[in-house]
Amino acid sequence: RKEVEQDPGPFNVPEGATVAFNCTYSNSASQSFFWYRQDCRKEPKLLMSVYSSGNEDGRFTAQLNRASQYISLLIRDSKLSDSATYLCVVTDSTGNQFYFGTGTSLTVIP
Amino acid sequence: DTGVSQDPRHKITKRGQNVTFRCDPISEHNRLYWYRQTLGQGPEFLTYFQNEAQLEKSRLLSDRFSAERPKGSFSTLEIQRTEQGDSAMYLCASSPGGHLYEQYFGPGTRLTVT
């Protein structure tokens, strides 16, 4: 079983739409959680950490559900510049080893 | 630009040759990671250093792969006797360590084995 599973999409949404991505993880002892963004042929860049209480950064909201072992990312008022692949990342119980999902592809359409 | 640099950015080699990649992390970061990424997949963990100590290595990592971080600063990843299946993007990431786990990636080295 993979450590992290994501729906690869693609998600094609119009500008201004709200879109949500989910990700599940297999290790209940995982310590830390992140969402990374990766543009085509570029390196992944940290979008936001995910905290147990949920957290928001502008148009982006991340949620963690430890009981069900899933993480979500909500993007409100989508912009063309949000088009990218969004990677769900989970660490092991020590926080030392990182597991990346396959990524969810988002295209925001004018 | 995250401050992590990798060299070379592209490498084309023939099957059976050895290749070496270099990563220079953000200077105050004591953790350094190597990943491999193929098309349509997320980065796959290869190995991890805390300062100069290599603390973890993926079970999937062939003996042909070796990594070093001799002075706890830059790191090298060597692949011996390359195979076509080694063609991928090799990414390096650094992290401050402690309770700060966020990783900052370099631009990667794209390896093509012909």
Side-chain angles (χ1 to χ4, degrees):
Chain A
R1 184 182 173 187
K2 287 187 177 181
E3 289 84 4
V4 182
E5 305 240 25
Q6 282 184 263
D7 178 354
F11 284 69
N12 300 314
V13 302
E15 268 187 292
T18 295
V19 61
F21 307 137
N22 291 323
C23 161
T24 58
Y25 61 95
S26 60
N27 184 356
S28 61
S30 293
Q31 181 168 122
S32 300
F33 309 87
F34 307 92
W35 284 100
Y36 276 72
R37 169 194 170 128
Q38 187 170 27
D39 293 298
C40 187
R41 302 185 77 83
K42 298 283 191 180
E43 72 273 21
K45 291 188 177 178
L46 178 67
L47 179 66
M48 58 196 303
S49 302
V50 186
Y51 303 120
S52 297
S53 55
N55 48 301
E56 188 173 305
D57 183 1
R59 298 181 293 108
F60 298 85
T61 300
Q63 296 278 351
L64 168 63
N65 185 320
R66 282 192 181 270
S68 301
Q69 294 178 213
Y70 80 79
I71 306 153
S72 64
L73 177 68
L74 183 77
I75 306 175
R76 292 182 299 278
D77 188 23
S78 300
K79 311 290 185 192
L80 295 177
S81 58
D82 294 334
S83 298
T85 295
Y86 290 83
L87 296 160
C88 173
V89 186
V90 174
T91 71
D92 63 4
S93 59
T94 66
N96 292 334
Q97 190 157 331
F98 285 60
Y99 299 102
F100 285 74
T102 55
T104 299
S105 173
L106 171 67
T107 301
V108 180
I109 303 164
Chain B
D1 182 3
T2 61
V4 179
S5 61
Q6 291 187 246
D7 183 68
R9 296 290 303 276
H10 303 274
K11 179 71 177 179
I12 300 174
T13 191
K14 292 186 177 179
R15 189 174 54 188
Q17 297 295 305
N18 299 344
V19 294
T20 300
F21 310 142
R22 176 177 170 129
C23 171
D24 286 87
I26 295 171
S27 59
E28 60 268 26
H29 287 186
N30 58 24
R31 292 186 177 185
L32 187 149
Y33 296 78
W34 284 99
Y35 292 89
R36 175 171 61 192
Q37 186 175 25
T38 54
L39 194 63
Q41 301 297 313
E44 176 190 22
F45 171 82
L46 294 179
T47 191
Y48 146 65
F49 291 85
Q50 172 94 11
N51 299 314
E52 66 275 11
Q54 186 174 18
L55 297 187
E56 291 197 38
K57 191 174 175 181
S58 169
R59 293 189 304 272
L60 303 174
L61 202 60
S62 158
D63 289 343
R64 297 183 296 106
F65 288 70
S66 62
E68 293 183 344
R69 194 183 182 197
K71 297 181 180 179
S73 55
F74 74 92
S75 176
T76 58
L77 176 70
E78 182 183 16
I79 309 174
Q80 295 182 327
R81 304 181 303 282
T82 52
E83 301 173 356
Q84 287 188 318
D86 297 331
S87 295
M89 175 73 85
Y90 289 83
L91 293 161
C92 172
S94 71
S95 174
H99 67 285
L100 299 173
Y101 296 110
E102 293 89 351
Q103 295 188 344
Y104 299 86
F105 283 83
T109 295
R110 183 169 297 281
L111 173 66
T112 301
V113 182
T114 62

Short mmCIF file of all heavy atoms in Angstrom, two decimals, chain B residues 4 25-32 51 69 72 94-97 102 104:
data_model
loop_
_atom_site.label_atom_id
_atom_site.label_comp_id
_atom_site.label_asym_id
_atom_site.label_seq_id
_atom_site.Cartn_x
_atom_site.Cartn_y
_atom_site.Cartn_z
N VAL B 4 18.83 26.65 -2.90
CA VAL B 4 19.46 25.34 -3.07
C VAL B 4 19.88 25.25 -4.54
O VAL B 4 19.07 25.48 -5.43
CB VAL B 4 18.47 24.20 -2.74
CG1 VAL B 4 19.14 22.85 -2.94
CG2 VAL B 4 17.96 24.36 -1.31
N PRO B 25 23.19 22.99 -0.46
CA PRO B 25 21.96 23.37 0.26
C PRO B 25 22.03 24.81 0.75
O PRO B 25 23.06 25.48 0.62
CB PRO B 25 21.96 22.41 1.44
CG PRO B 25 23.42 22.20 1.72
CD PRO B 25 24.10 22.22 0.38
N ILE B 26 20.94 25.27 1.32
CA ILE B 26 20.93 26.56 2.02
C ILE B 26 21.93 26.45 3.19
O ILE B 26 21.92 25.45 3.91
CB ILE B 26 19.51 26.90 2.50
CG1 ILE B 26 18.61 27.09 1.28
CG2 ILE B 26 19.50 28.12 3.40
CD1 ILE B 26 17.13 27.22 1.60
N SER B 27 22.76 27.43 3.36
CA SER B 27 23.95 27.28 4.20
C SER B 27 23.65 26.91 5.65
O SER B 27 24.37 26.13 6.26
CB SER B 27 24.81 28.54 4.15
OG SER B 27 24.06 29.65 4.59
N GLU B 28 22.60 27.42 6.22
CA GLU B 28 22.35 27.12 7.64
C GLU B 28 21.52 25.86 7.86
O GLU B 28 21.22 25.50 8.99
CB GLU B 28 21.67 28.31 8.32
CG GLU B 28 20.33 28.69 7.74
CD GLU B 28 20.42 29.75 6.65
OE1 GLU B 28 21.48 29.84 5.99
OE2 GLU B 28 19.42 30.47 6.44
N HIS B 29 21.16 25.17 6.76
CA HIS B 29 20.35 23.96 6.89
C HIS B 29 21.23 22.75 7.17
O HIS B 29 22.19 22.48 6.43
CB HIS B 29 19.54 23.72 5.62
CG HIS B 29 18.40 24.67 5.44
ND1 HIS B 29 17.48 24.55 4.42
CD2 HIS B 29 18.01 25.73 6.18
CE1 HIS B 29 16.58 25.52 4.54
NE2 HIS B 29 16.88 26.25 5.59
N ASN B 30 20.88 21.97 8.20
CA ASN B 30 21.72 20.80 8.48
C ASN B 30 21.16 19.51 7.88
O ASN B 30 21.83 18.48 7.90
CB ASN B 30 21.96 20.66 9.99
CG ASN B 30 20.67 20.53 10.78
OD1 ASN B 30 19.65 20.12 10.25
ND2 ASN B 30 20.73 20.88 12.05
N ARG B 31 19.95 19.55 7.37
CA ARG B 31 19.40 18.34 6.76
C ARG B 31 19.42 18.47 5.24
O ARG B 31 19.11 19.53 4.69
CB ARG B 31 17.97 18.11 7.21
CG ARG B 31 17.86 17.76 8.68
CD ARG B 31 16.45 17.39 9.04
NE ARG B 31 16.36 17.00 10.43
CZ ARG B 31 15.28 16.55 11.00
NH1 ARG B 31 14.18 16.39 10.29
NH2 ARG B 31 15.28 16.24 12.27
N LEU B 32 19.77 17.37 4.59
CA LEU B 32 19.83 17.36 3.12
C LEU B 32 19.25 16.05 2.63
O LEU B 32 19.57 14.98 3.16
CB LEU B 32 21.28 17.52 2.65
CG LEU B 32 21.50 17.69 1.15
CD1 LEU B 32 22.73 18.56 0.89
CD2 LEU B 32 21.63 16.38 0.42
N ASN B 51 23.64 16.79 8.91
CA ASN B 51 25.04 17.22 8.82
C ASN B 51 25.79 16.25 7.89
O ASN B 51 25.33 16.01 6.78
CB ASN B 51 25.65 17.31 10.20
CG ASN B 51 24.94 18.34 11.06
OD1 ASN B 51 24.66 19.45 10.60
ND2 ASN B 51 24.57 17.96 12.27
N ARG B 69 28.19 13.47 2.01
CA ARG B 69 28.13 14.88 2.42
C ARG B 69 29.31 15.09 3.36
O ARG B 69 29.15 15.19 4.56
CB ARG B 69 26.80 15.18 3.11
CG ARG B 69 26.53 16.66 3.24
CD ARG B 69 25.24 16.93 3.99
NE ARG B 69 24.97 18.36 4.05
CZ ARG B 69 24.11 18.91 4.90
NH1 ARG B 69 23.41 18.16 5.74
NH2 ARG B 69 23.92 20.22 4.89
N GLY B 72 29.41 18.14 5.77
CA GLY B 72 28.13 18.63 6.25
C GLY B 72 27.62 19.83 5.50
O GLY B 72 26.69 20.49 5.95
N SER B 94 16.86 20.79 1.08
CA SER B 94 17.46 21.00 2.39
C SER B 94 16.40 21.50 3.36
O SER B 94 15.35 22.02 2.96
CB SER B 94 18.65 21.95 2.33
OG SER B 94 18.27 23.29 2.08
N SER B 95 16.69 21.31 4.64
CA SER B 95 15.73 21.61 5.68
C SER B 95 16.48 22.10 6.91
O SER B 95 17.58 21.62 7.19
CB SER B 95 14.93 20.35 6.00
OG SER B 95 14.08 20.52 7.09
N PRO B 96 15.89 23.04 7.66
CA PRO B 96 16.60 23.56 8.83
C PRO B 96 16.83 22.53 9.92
O PRO B 96 17.77 22.62 10.69
CB PRO B 96 15.67 24.67 9.34
CG PRO B 96 14.74 24.96 8.23
CD PRO B 96 14.60 23.70 7.45
N GLY B 97 15.93 21.53 10.00
CA GLY B 97 16.04 20.57 11.08
C GLY B 97 15.35 21.06 12.33
O GLY B 97 14.62 22.05 12.31
N GLU B 102 10.03 21.78 7.03
CA GLU B 102 9.81 22.18 5.64
C GLU B 102 11.08 21.98 4.82
O GLU B 102 12.17 22.30 5.27
CB GLU B 102 9.39 23.65 5.55
CG GLU B 102 8.05 23.96 6.15
CD GLU B 102 8.12 24.31 7.63
OE1 GLU B 102 9.19 24.15 8.23
OE2 GLU B 102 7.08 24.73 8.16
N TYR B 104 13.18 22.65 1.19
CA TYR B 104 13.35 23.58 0.09
C TYR B 104 14.16 22.88 -0.99
O TYR B 104 15.27 22.41 -0.75
CB TYR B 104 14.05 24.85 0.58
CG TYR B 104 13.26 25.56 1.64
CD1 TYR B 104 13.39 25.21 2.98
CD2 TYR B 104 12.32 26.53 1.31
CE1 TYR B 104 12.63 25.82 3.97
CE2 TYR B 104 11.57 27.16 2.30
CZ TYR B 104 11.73 26.79 3.62
OH TYR B 104 10.97 27.40 4.59
#
